[in-house]
Amino acid sequence: MGDESTSGENTSGESASDESTSGEGARRDGASETAQRERAVLGAVPSGLLIGGAWADAAAAATFDVTDPSTGGVIRTVADADADDGIRALDAAVVAQDSWAATPPRTRSDILRRAFDLVRERSEDLALLMTLEMGKPLAESRAEVVYGAEFLRWFSEEAVRVSGRYGQNPEGSGRMIVSQRPVGPVLLITPWNFPLAMATRKIGPALAAGCTVVVKPASLTPLTTLALAGLMQEAGVPAGVLNVLTTTRSGAVSAAIMADPRLRKLSFTGSTEVGRGLLAQAADGVLRVSMELGGNAPFLVFEDADLDRAVEGAMVAKFRNIGEACTAANRFIVHESLAEVFTKRVAERVRAMRVGRGTEAGVQIGPLIDERAVTKASSLLRDAVDRGATVHTGGAVLRGTFFAPTVVSGVPAGAEILRQEIFGPVLAISAFADEDEAVRLANDTEFGLVSYVYTRDLARGHRMIDRLETGMMGLNVGVVSNAAAPFGGVRQSGLGREGGPEGIHEYLATKYTLLPND
Ligand code: NAD
């Protein structure tokens, strides 16, 4: 893939007529307008820590730079919290906890609903901000704003639907009341790949349940969370209920907060490796935990699949979010009778994909988040090729952090790409002979987040629901995420569920009370 396809609008081949000269001027005006708008959106983001309802510098006045992954250029500087700031944020959450828990559910619901409206109103600014700090194409950032906002709306609805039980005990001697109480102050740690949705998926249910929170966004993408926090203040979230810490010292800050006995729960989304370490720390304080960790999703195409649908599903399951999604299809396991035609069809589609800065019109693949991500995708691909796999398109770094969307087939068992999350735009295909082999290959991983299955046989579909060891499954569909659905994994992909009616229960503790009859 050449430079043209990586540089957005292709202006080559125009004549040097007056018309094109004035076209050049118009383009320059357009470019400066765009740059101005980017500056305005970035400039409007609060740069401090949000603690107890006030924006403040880090106590040590430290700051860090946030960069645009497509250029490496600095786009903003934000406060860099240390462990003392972490404890100040927890202090604020603790102070606000009782009154927030006592706030009528309808009031909490109304605030979340206003936050939903504000996010939708400011969706263009939020989408641009996300593209600037994370790199994904603007169309995908817009889709994430819609998806992320839904968690605010869904949990504004759930806030008033928390119910309990009342009944006689089996002995007939007393009445049992089962009620739900907010867990208490919660630490929320989010990743960089979905900067808005991963924050609202935790903040929404926590606030709906009556918990106060300290949010720590990823240091690579703190701006969207800061902007969201500003909107939530506007929506009426009281001081201390939502606190935000941006930091490059994630380990030290979270360890200090987690060692404090006033913290009641940790909700983490990120890699399995970091999650494992946090689980060990949580054991010391016997903290409640929710863990949304890594994935290694199989994408099964059976011999009776609708091939058009399977190709369509593959494109979105693999290339949404530049392949940087925990739900990204990591292993395409295709029946041997279809492997060749499936490979040819997806390779054709991938060859036509447009790579470039996420802000450019028509771009489908933005930059990877950083050099480390590029190195990982490159080395996984090299390992597969060294073991005999064939690259059909892509296969190389185009420039900087831009990795060409790639299709590779004939990936043999044992290849690293089948064991690790690729987190990049590489579609890796292996073949299988029969259903038992497909299931064995699909389950041959320590992860269990999501699986995708393409078949027209309903009975086989049901068998796959039972046999595939994942928390979620897409049956003839390539995206499963929905605010109304319980999102989460089994095995080392995590503990707990986010979204759906289940989501709010992660932030509630069940209380049982017994009363005598007389
Ligand atoms: P990461 O584990 O490196 O970081 C996640 C968060 O933890 C960030 O805020 C980071 O700053 C923080 N962190 C890093 N080290 C820490 C430490 N020692 N102590 C406390 N906090 C620490 O993950 P990432 O690279 O930001 O995100 C990508 C990973 O997240 C992938 O594995 C992906 O599958 C996973 N993910 C999972 C889901 C899900 O719902 N299951 C959703 C999105 C992403």
Side-chain angles (χ1 to χ4, degrees):
M1 201 170 283
D3 266 344
E4 273 168 23
S5 58
T6 67
S7 60
E9 294 296 317
N10 177 5
T11 57
S12 63
E14 286 189 5
S15 69
S17 66
D18 282 355
E19 259 172 54
S20 74
T21 315
S22 67
E24 191 63 38
R27 258 193 303 278
R28 258 201 308 274
D29 288 351
S32 81
E33 232 172 74
T34 307
Q36 227 171 9
R37 189 166 135 57
E38 288 179 10
R39 272 198 301 277
V41 165
L42 288 165
V45 178
S47 60
L49 309 174
L50 179 59
I51 298 180
W55 294 95
D57 290 341
T63 59
F64 68 97
D65 292 336
V66 181
T67 56
D68 175 344
S70 65
T71 61
V74 175
I75 51 175
R76 267 305 294 263
T77 298
V78 298
D80 194 356
D82 63 15
D84 290 343
D85 295 311
I87 295 303
R88 284 197 299 130
L90 180 61
D91 290 343
V94 169
V95 167
Q97 178 58 56
D98 283 351
S99 65
W100 184 241
T103 300
R106 177 58 72 202
T107 307
R108 298 200 298 257
S109 165
D110 287 345
I111 291 172
L112 287 171
R113 175 65 205 213
R114 273 199 297 278
F116 164 77
D117 290 336
L118 283 172
V119 168
R120 293 296 295 261
E121 258 170 45
R122 317 271 168 83
S123 63
E124 277 303 300
D125 288 357
L126 283 167
L128 178 56
L129 191 58
M130 238 189 303
T131 290
L132 291 174
E133 68 173 343
M134 186 275 171
K136 71 180 77 182
L138 206 42
E140 293 200 28
S141 291
R142 290 188 179 116
E144 185 178 339
V145 174
V146 172
Y147 171 55
E150 280 307 323
F151 289 100
L152 299 172
R153 175 155 67 173
W154 176 264
F155 286 109
S156 79
E157 292 157 352
E158 291 298 285
V160 292
R161 310 248 183 280
V162 175
S163 59
R165 273 197 331 261
Y166 175 85
Q168 201 170 45
N169 65 1
E171 298 74 18
S173 59
R175 308 285 163 151
M176 302 165 77
I177 299 172
V178 179
S179 55
Q180 304 290 333
R181 299 286 310 149
V183 167
V186 189
L187 173 61
L188 309 176
I189 302 180
T190 58
W192 52 264
N193 62 340
F194 291 99
L196 183 76
M198 296 304 97
T200 55
R201 206 163 76 170
K202 295 186 190 302
I203 295 170
L207 267 53
C211 296
T212 59
V213 301
V214 175
V215 188
K216 195 216 77 64
S219 51
L220 290 167
T221 58
L223 303 180
T224 305
T225 305
L226 292 171
L228 172 68
L231 290 189
M232 295 202 71
Q233 279 188 302
E234 257 185 74
V237 172
V241 170
L242 169 66
N243 305 279
V244 180
L245 295 172
T246 49
T247 182
T248 54
R249 290 166 274 202
S250 305
V253 172
S254 66
I257 297 174
M258 287 172 69
D260 191 311
R262 297 171 301 166
L263 185 76
R264 294 281 182 265
K265 179 180 167 87
L266 165 71
S267 176
F268 171 79
T269 298
S271 60
T272 295
E273 188 189 352
V274 172
R276 243 185 240 122
L278 291 172
L279 272 170
Q281 287 177 40
D284 286 340
V286 195
L287 284 180
R288 282 269 299 265
V289 287
S290 300
M291 291 273 152
E292 296 288 350
L293 307 177
N296 181 4
F299 187 107
L300 303 181
V301 184
F302 284 98
E303 62 273 31
D304 54 22
D306 176 332
L307 194 60
D308 291 341
R309 268 192 182 217
V311 169
E312 212 51 59
M315 295 303 292
V316 60
K318 177 74 250 181
F319 295 105
R320 188 171 74 104
N321 220 45
I322 324 167
E324 295 170 314
C326 52
T327 50
N330 213 56
R331 298 169 293 150
F332 287 78
I333 302 170
V334 183
H335 189 263
E336 58 193 13
S337 65
L338 288 180
E340 198 178 322
V341 60
F342 178 82
T343 304
K344 187 165 164 281
R345 296 270 307 268
V346 289
E348 267 164 23
R349 292 282 298 270
V350 171
R351 237 172 254 125
M353 289 186 104
R354 188 171 185 134
V355 182
R357 190 164 184 247
T359 48
E360 292 164 10
V363 159
Q364 293 154 296
I365 298 286
L368 291 183
I369 190 72
D370 58 15
E371 284 298 330
R372 243 179 35 172
V374 175
T375 307
K376 183 177 183 189
S378 304
S379 76
L380 288 177
L381 185 61
R382 195 174 327 110
D383 172 73
V385 170
D386 287 350
R387 291 170 190 261
T390 307
V391 172
H392 297 270
T393 183
V397 179
L398 296 168
R399 63 182 162 87
T401 46
F402 290 89
F403 197 95
T406 298
V407 176
V408 57
S409 75
V411 178
E416 275 302 311
I417 208 165
L418 303 177
R419 290 166 34 80
Q420 296 186 34
E421 273 188 305
I422 305 167
F423 246 57
V426 180
L427 192 158
I429 302 169
S430 316
F432 70 88
D434 61 33
E435 188 177 304
D436 283 344
E437 186 187 8
V439 170
R440 187 179 53 73
L441 292 173
N443 287 338
D444 186 18
T445 168
E446 78 247 33
F447 297 103
L449 189 60
V450 62
S451 50
Y452 303 94
V453 173
Y454 279 76
T455 178
R456 276 188 279 215
D457 179 341
L458 191 58
R460 174 177 271 152
H462 284 295
R463 284 198 298 279
M464 291 305 111
I465 294 174
D466 292 341
R467 296 185 72 189
L468 295 180
E469 295 180 36
T470 56
M472 302 178 285
M473 185 170 138
L475 186 51
N476 296 316
V477 63
V479 188
V480 296
S481 308
N482 192 300
F487 188 105
V490 296
R491 298 174 163 191
Q492 295 195 25
S493 285
L495 302 166
R497 293 293 180 268
E498 291 189 323
E502 290 84 353
I504 197 166
H505 286 280
E506 299 285 319
Y507 298 91
L508 291 168
T510 299
K511 181 153 198 175
Y512 152 61
T513 309
L514 179 67
L515 295 78
N517 277 338
D518 48 10

